[in-house]
Amino acid sequence: MPALRNAATDISMLTKRNLLRYVRIPALLVFSSFQPIMFLLLFNYVFGGAIGAQSGGSYISFLLPGIVVQTVLFGTTATAVGLSEDFSRGMVDRFRSLPITRSAVLAGRTLADVCRNFLVVILINIVGYMLGFRYSGGLQHGLAALVLLLMFGFAFSWISAVIGMMVKDPETVQVAGFIWIFPLVFASGVFVPTQTMPSWLRVFAEHQPVTITVNALRSLLLEGTTTDVGKTLLWTGGILAVFVPLSVWAYKRIA
């Protein structure tokens, strides 16, 4: 029990340390919030007329669940960049000299990004509401959707943690961190219905975790049902089961 209590204390302290970075450099939080809002506005007003008319529904209702999933995925690159900076500036060496739990460095980084994602997602939802998005599924399902979304982003942060430790140069990490996310976001049901895609691409788009999570959020927020929620939890649990041990192993091996 003392070991668990000490680990929890270490994780909370390092989470606070990573969050204080946003206080010292508020532009990081401002621009990380501004980017998804720009995506929401541009896609809504550029594609909304065509896709909304074709589907016979409101495009903002279709788009917002996809934008929030895209936001948490893009936000995971902060995990990779932050770890890379800690390695390049010698912070990890300083952590090693302290009597703290080694895995706390990774957990503190990923949990700080969950807190940042929470703030950004709330802001996007406020803007979405102003554009006409409405929670037809009710408050209970809305809260469930928020928890599911943050869990999904938390799982992907551990993938980024591995990338941040494999590619130690921060500038290279910024590029490498997006390369694997773009196909998942754009070859999915985030912006358009998958039914319009070529058959070979549609198979991939409909079965990959991003589309499944977006569909789960749409069912919770718009219909008050739990379609694809179970599949999202399976993907989230599977990613955590693979990448948390892999990240800890890579950290111990490098540090």
Side-chain angles (χ1 to χ4, degrees), residues 155 232-242:
T232 302
L233 291 174
L234 284 176
W235 268 109
T236 301
I239 292 170
L240 287 172
V242 172

Side-chain angles (χ1 to χ4, degrees), residues 4 25 33 73 78 157 195 210:
L4 288 175
I25 314 174
S33 304
L73 289 183
S157 289
Q195 290 81 359
V210 173

Side-chain angles (χ1 to χ4, degrees), residues 126-137:
I126 292 173
V127 176
Y129 189 85
M130 294 169 65
L131 295 177
F133 183 83
R134 295 295 181 268
Y135 300 91
S136 308

Side-chain angles (χ1 to χ4, degrees), residues 110-185:
T110 52
L111 287 175
D113 291 333
V114 171
C115 296
R116 194 262 339 275
N117 282 337
F118 174 78
L119 294 175
V120 176
V121 167
I122 294 298
L123 183 59
I124 294 172
N125 276 267
I126 292 173
V127 176
Y129 189 85
M130 294 169 65
L131 295 177
F133 183 83
R134 295 295 181 268
Y135 300 91
S136 308
L139 178 61
Q140 184 178 357
H141 289 94
L143 293 175
L146 178 61
V147 173
L148 190 69
L149 174 66
L150 295 179
M151 288 174 57
F152 186 71
F154 178 68
F156 270 78
S157 289
W158 287 93
I159 301 178
S160 289
V162 175
I163 295 174
M165 288 183 284
M166 292 175 60
V167 186
K168 296 180 182 178
D169 177 63
E171 293 183 3
T172 308
V173 167
Q174 285 187 327
V175 179
F178 276 107
I179 288 176
W180 64 280
I181 291 178
F182 271 114
L184 289 176
V185 170

Side-chain angles (χ1 to χ4, degrees), residues 26 66 70 84 142 148:
Q70 180 210 42
S84 178
L148 190 69

Side-chain angles (χ1 to χ4, degrees), residues 197-220:
M197 297 179 181
S199 57
W200 61 269
L201 182 59
R202 181 178 173 182
V203 171
F204 169 77
E206 291 183 346
H207 293 86
Q208 57 122 320
V210 173
T211 299
I212 289 173
T213 303
V214 172
N215 289 339
L217 295 185
R218 286 177 182 143
S219 69
L220 285 167

